[in-house]
Amino acid sequence: MHDGAGTHRTHAVYPGSFDPPTNGHLDIVRRSAAIFPRVTVAVVVNPQKRDPLFSVEERELMLRESVAGLPNVEVEHFRGLLADFVREVGADVIVKGLRVVSDFESEMAYAHMNRALCGVDTMFLMAHEGFSFISSSIVKEVFGQSGDVTGFVPANVLRALEEKRTTTGGTHVDLPRHR
Ligand code: PNS
């Protein structure tokens, strides 16, 4: 529990599906790394979204490559409840990005529940205005229809998407509307 007034948050967990990581995600990672001494990017193993395009290992690798220049950022994965993972690694803050007002409603419920479960607060960073319309889903949708997603994902993710198309013959997935 970290309820003490005036204490400094030292270890942030930034959770997500990251299927795949986008420049919007990376922007949140970089800004979090400038605020908190330690940031753990936490890839959920079984995202609520069905049929992830990338395996958890692939998602972790893409993230590791993308954050290689940030010495205070590490990448891990977790199963089950985020609150349990946060407790396990001893983190004292959860970081999330907010893009649009509709993100807020679901995130508010998550934040309350996570605080009830592990006593850790969630802090929100507003997505960079240039990335507020980018989600993993929309990237997959555009790429899957041969659209150009350069500029929306890091170069290594673009390569991974292209490889996925080559090896699987496509990037089609059932597209959730959110994230
Ligand atoms: O990138 P996403 O898909 O928006 O990330 C959602 C994520 C992984 C943060 C959320 O689904 C999550 O926390 N999943 C772990 C399961 C859990 O703890 N559920 C209850 C949240 S209060």
Side-chain angles (χ1 to χ4, degrees), residues 15-18 25 44 47-49 78 80-83 96 107 109-110 113-114 117 178-179:
S17 305
F18 305 109
H25 292 131
V44 68
Q48 278 146 334
K49 288 117 215 189
F78 72 102
L81 287 176
L82 173 62
K96 294 271 190 90
E107 291 300 346
Y110 278 138
M113 181 55 84
N114 281 322
L117 291 173
H178 188 58
R179 301 270 161 181

Side-chain angles (χ1 to χ4, degrees), residues 6-174:
T7 58
H8 295 284
R9 269 44 178 177
T10 59
H11 183 182
V13 166
Y14 175 40
S17 305
F18 305 109
D19 184 42
T22 67
N23 284 343
H25 292 131
L26 268 301
D27 176 60
I28 298 289
V29 175
R30 282 191 205 99
R31 285 159 61 203
S32 302
I35 297 170
F36 303 107
R38 184 176 170 198
V39 177
T40 300
V41 181
V43 182
V44 68
V45 171
N46 296 314
Q48 278 146 334
K49 288 117 215 189
R50 301 282 155 250
D51 302 325
L53 179 60
F54 291 98
S55 69
V56 69
E57 292 80 11
E58 290 171 323
R59 287 180 272 148
E60 265 190 275
L61 180 64
M62 285 185 281
L63 281 163
R64 287 219 170 90
E65 289 168 349
S66 304
V67 304
L70 299 169
N72 59 333
V73 177
E74 63 214 72
V75 182
E76 304 286 345
H77 63 263
F78 72 102
R79 285 168 213 279
L81 287 176
L82 173 62
D84 291 338
F85 177 76
V86 166
R87 234 193 315 241
E88 208 175 288
V89 298
D92 48 17
V93 63
I94 296 165
V95 170
K96 294 271 190 90
L98 284 182
R99 294 166 309 173
V100 288
V101 174
S102 57
D103 283 349
F104 180 77
E105 279 188 37
S106 51
E107 291 300 346
M108 189 173 69
Y110 278 138
H112 284 307
M113 181 55 84
N114 281 322
R115 201 160 92 90
L117 291 173
C118 68
V120 170
D121 266 312
T122 301
M123 296 183 74
F124 295 99
L125 292 179
M126 299 305 298
H128 186 283
E129 61 276 16
F131 299 137
S132 60
F133 62 98
I134 299 177
S135 64
S136 300
S137 301
I138 204 167
V139 162
K140 285 183 285 192
E141 183 168 356
V142 170
F143 189 82
Q145 301 295 326
S146 305
D148 184 6
V149 295
T150 314
F152 304 130
V153 293
N156 64 316
V157 172
L158 191 59
R159 277 196 302 278
L161 281 164
E162 277 157 3
E163 270 167 36
K164 191 65 80 177
R165 177 146 60 200
T166 313
T167 53
T168 66
T171 55
H172 176 79
V173 285
D174 289 332

